Amino acid sequence: MQLAHVSIDSLSVAAINMRHSRRAPDIADILPSVRARGVLVPLLVRPNGSPDSFEIVAGRRRYFAAKTVADERGKAEPLPCAIMEDGDDADALEASLIENIARLDPDEVSQWETFTRLIKEGRAIADITVTFGLTEQLVKRILALGDLLPKIREAYRREEIDTETVRHLTMASKAQQKDWLALFCDPDQHAPRGWQLKQWLFGGQSISTKVALFAIEDYPGLIVSDLFGEESYFADADLFWQKQNEAIAAKREAYLEAGWPEVVVLEPGQYYHSWDYEKTPKKKGGKVVTTVSQRGEVEFHEGYLSRKEARRARSNGEADEEAERAAKPSRPELSGPMQNYVDLHRHAAVRVSLLDHAGAALRLMVAHSIVGSSLWQVRPDPQRAANETVAANLAGSRAEIAFADKRREVLALLGSIDEDGPVAGGNGDDFALASVFARLLALSDDDVLRILALVMAETLAVGSAIIEALGNHFGINMRDHWQPDDAFFELLRDKEVANQMLADVGGAHVADGNSSEKVKTQKKIIRDFLAGENGREKVETWLPRWMKFPVETYTNRGGFRTADQWSKVRSLFVSE
């Protein structure tokens, strides 16, 4: 019996499966485990008419649980499968009965303990795969748990840590594991998980070796691999970018030597919406547009011109053809006043009809917000930071990370090839506007509203009165999105304000007793209260008045723009 990982799209439930005729199975008991660890016990399958197609003889519930998780995450992992010989239905039915009666939920940490003992006794990985009916990949993954600290393994056993997080922790040094474990065990700290953990391990930029244009053996730096053998990353991001930029430059020269008129290399992270460009062959002036993501991925889009460039090229071509046919241009079909007459009447008919088609109007408004037009000028807020410290702090915040995830989902709905740039802020091109409108017509109202909400969020002005109005209306609790950090305390330099904050966390007695101390000392005492250190009683869920909705002040000195903005609109949202 062959063991392999099979794409979920290549699987279907066999008619001989003992549960085939029943409705969708109840997977509530196994779904949490599949979410946390994936499918561990191989499904029993057999060929189904083609080399890449299989039907499930046993493992239908695991299959449905895996499909549910794939729908939730937007991607499907291959499932471990034991592939039967193509036998008769009686053998398949017997196997289905045996597998369902003898089902045993595995515990990976317990398996690791067993496999480790077997390895010490001289058993090879191949022997373990045959004995336990697991794929070699699964056995290696289980053995990789041995590089983790015992407390991390135990948390994984209790399903307090998911598989993706554990996989990334196998790349961490013992010191990094201890630092992460300290965050994990502290209820007031946020331990990074999943892809955020990768960012944390690599100092903010985790770049996979899969995206390198250059030969990996030419990279002189350190490459870190997870012990599951599935992913590897460049430890030195600066060195990676040096090699990657050299490879991009070489590729650009190769395109130019091949006769392409121009190769445009966009800045890393600069967005490239497909609707802003038009496919144009090389012989008609098409360029190569190169996109580079912040994660190092490079794509070469051959044969494209911006919509405006493509129209200009067509106009020039048509003008040349016309010049060849006649020495002077022919008279236009419509005079200027007649064109104006036709335009106005068609405009009047369309706009009155639009009043009866609210769904189309909604989609048209969203399209205008994304692309713009001669009458619409919409642009996302640039979120300009005062310095690099503020910029880095914002980029790592919970709210910004969640927003970036939602933006990628919306870009996927729009069919955009760019995963990092804003959705709003197009160049006002008519064809692009119609293209996005056509795309929106094919989407459900719920999806259109998701896109609308994100575009609206992108175009909210930082520091504006509407931010204060929305925060009050939504009843936002900033504790869900923010906690006091190093950047906040570094920027806090006002002695009077620091003393007021000290009164918030330690009481008036403590604040009065330290009123003459330096700002640095008062900030240290505040942090001691927040951490419960140096004999201070720990204060939970403290939130500075500046971060509350509605906002509050610490002094009567004025000069706090946020409070001024709220005072403008307060009467509209708060009943006296």
Side-chain angles (χ1 to χ4, degrees), residues 300-378:
F300 297 94
H301 308 282
E302 299 178 359
Y304 283 92
L305 288 174
S306 70
R307 298 289 179 188
K308 291 181 179 178
E309 290 174 325
R311 281 202 308 272
R312 190 182 306 119
R314 284 196 298 271
S315 298
N316 292 338
E318 292 167 0
D320 292 342
E321 292 175 4
E322 188 66 21
E324 293 175 1
R325 287 195 297 266
K328 58 182 180 180
S330 61
R331 186 175 61 188
E333 183 173 337
L334 279 73
S335 65
M338 178 58 78
Q339 182 67 66
N340 176 250
Y341 175 91
V342 171
D343 288 344
L344 287 172
H345 280 281
R346 292 173 67 81
H347 178 268
V350 169
R351 74 174 186 173
V352 74
S353 299
L354 188 61
L355 301 180
D356 297 325
H357 296 82
L362 169 65
R363 286 159 174 80
L364 192 58
M365 177 175 280
V366 174
H368 275 77
S369 300
I370 294 172
V371 181
S373 76
S374 60
L375 299 178
W376 281 65
Q377 293 181 341
V378 178

Side-chain angles (χ1 to χ4, degrees), residues 271 369 377-385 394 400 403 407 421-425 454-464 466-467 561:
Y271 66 95
S369 300
Q377 293 181 341
V378 178
R379 60 183 185 276
D381 189 283
Q383 293 184 295
R384 291 190 180 92
L394 176 67
E400 279 299 295
F403 192 87
R407 176 186 279 149
V423 175
L454 189 127
V455 169
M456 187 66 256
E458 282 187 341
T459 53
L460 286 173
V462 168
S464 62
I466 198 63
I467 295 293
R561 187 178 65 246

Side-chain angles (χ1 to χ4, degrees), residues 385-397:
N387 53 46
E388 292 183 2
T389 299
V390 175
N393 187 265
L394 176 67
S397 72

